[in-house]
Amino acid sequence: MTVKAYGAHAGDQPLVSLDITRRDVGAHDVQIDIAYCGVCHSDLHQVRGEWAGTLYPCVPGHEIVGRVVAVGAHVSRHKVGDLVGVGCMVDSCQGCADCEDGLEQYCDGMVGTYNGPTADAPGHTLGGYAQQIVVHERFVLRVRHAEDQLAAVAPLLCAGITTWSPLRHWNAGPGKRVGIVGIGGLGHMGIKLARALGAHVVAFTTSESKRQDALALGAHEVVVSRDPGAMAEQAKSLDLIVNTVAAPHDLDAFLNLLKRDGTMVLVGAPSTPHPSPQVFNLIMKRRALAGSMIGGIPETQEMLDFCAEHGIVADIEMIRADEINAAYERMLKGDVKYRFVIDSATLAG
Ligand code: NAP
Ligand code: ZN
């Protein structure tokens, strides 16, 4: 079937309206009428060729929510009419240790929602800036929020799970002091989730103008990271830092804030490396520097259910599909409060 989408033909070209094909619904497939799709900074990195290996045409989008319109003969988890979500993955080998552990994001055969290998035309996956998508049922999540919250649920599928997974893995909760660095799409969800998990939350931003927002999002304290005095006050005080910054920067400034045995988890994925941190900053307090990628399907469902139960959604700005190029420019300036979401109804033109 042919559907309308938005994507780019080259890294230096703007996104434009495209017609793309979705495969016929297979026995284990779910066909979804996309209502909204969030705009992640990864979309921008990928479509502009900032990460190696972008295939064109590139249709980004991996924060997908919508309604099931058809299911294959063997689908048991979802039915027509269900509200569902799709995040950053649409398939994996489904047989390795990572898949069996529900950590499909680490499977060597993981297929990304866009730019992944597929037998479908044009030979790589095309993402959620589109009217519809067809996905294996295992990679389709149940949405239990009220339907009128659907647009603000979309960013949970990447920004939510990418901060939830390290917060859970490194045991953010009562008695823990957790830093969230970079208050963009991921960071604003990191604040909300760390707070809801019961941690003491310290937000770090380069933007003084985000101070009040960060407090309203749930931070107990806000530090403007350009202020050396304010940074020094946090020295050796944090158990965990989730660093979402999308550009290379001085990691030592944040490693210095960890307590003994504290961990800084990098989730931001800049296209060029950070300057290497000082080894002594790790050795002296047995600190750890780690990375984390999105989250597995079971933990994504756990996060969505937690958010539904606790009334948590993203703070969003809704855009039309034809506003996407301008939205990318604003995202680069850190000028999003705090996630753009495309209204898929505007793809029709
Ligand atoms: P975003 O909305 O653009 O937020 C990034 C924030 O980082 C900005 O709002 C800004 O916050 C801060 N920042 C500080 N200096 C910056 C600079 N020079 N350039 C850009 N940002 C700067 O991006 P996002 O969607 O949250 O994504 C953040 C990063 O995570 C991206 O690299 C993305 O590709 C990556 N990502 C990784 C995963 C994963 O699985 N690990 C998943 C999704 C996204 P302040 O104004 O508060 O300083
Ligand atoms: Zn993303």
Side-chain angles (χ1 to χ4, degrees), residues 47-241:
V47 78
R48 294 194 172 175
E50 294 176 1
W51 294 338
T54 301
L55 302 164
Y56 296 95
C58 175
V59 174
H62 57 205
E63 293 185 337
I64 298 165
V65 289
R67 199 175 278 287
V68 176
V69 289
V71 295
H74 295 307
V75 169
S76 56
R77 301 182 197 195
H78 306 284
K79 60 181 193 312
V80 171
D82 286 352
L83 286 182
V84 293
V86 176
C88 304
M89 305 180 279
V90 290
D91 209 347
S92 70
C93 87
Q94 305 194 32
C96 70
D98 294 320
C99 290
E100 299 216 327
D101 287 346
L103 294 170
E104 301 89 345
Q105 74 274 34
Y106 300 117
C107 166
D108 291 336
M110 186 270 274
V111 179
T113 302
Y114 51 79
N115 214 60
T118 176
D120 302 349
H124 59 272
T125 51
L126 301 172
Y129 298 0
Q131 291 175 313
Q132 295 213 341
I133 193 165
V134 177
V135 180
H136 188 287
E137 64 167 329
R138 177 175 174 149
F139 294 87
V140 177
L141 287 308
R142 177 69 60 85
V143 172
R144 295 190 164 87
H145 289 76
E147 189 168 0
D148 62 0
Q149 295 184 302
L150 199 55
V153 169
L156 302 182
L157 275 305
C158 175
I161 185 58
T162 302
T163 48
W164 174 264
S165 183
L167 288 170
R168 295 282 284 163
H169 185 73
W170 278 276
N171 300 312
K176 295 287 175 67
R177 290 176 56 90
V178 174
I180 305 290
V181 183
I183 312 306
L186 268 55
H188 98 288
M189 286 311 308
I191 294 175
K192 290 188 189 213
L193 294 172
R195 177 70 188 246
L197 287 166
H200 181 91
V201 183
V202 186
F204 294 88
T205 179
T206 57
S207 315
E208 174 63 46
S209 61
K210 294 183 185 173
R211 182 184 292 279
Q212 288 311 319
D213 286 358
L215 292 169
L217 289 164
H220 296 90
E221 300 175 61
V222 182
V223 175
V224 175
S225 53
R226 298 185 198 278
D227 176 349
M231 290 291 278
E233 282 174 26
Q234 298 290 332
K236 303 174 198 165
S237 72
L238 300 171
D239 297 283
L240 172 67
I241 297 174

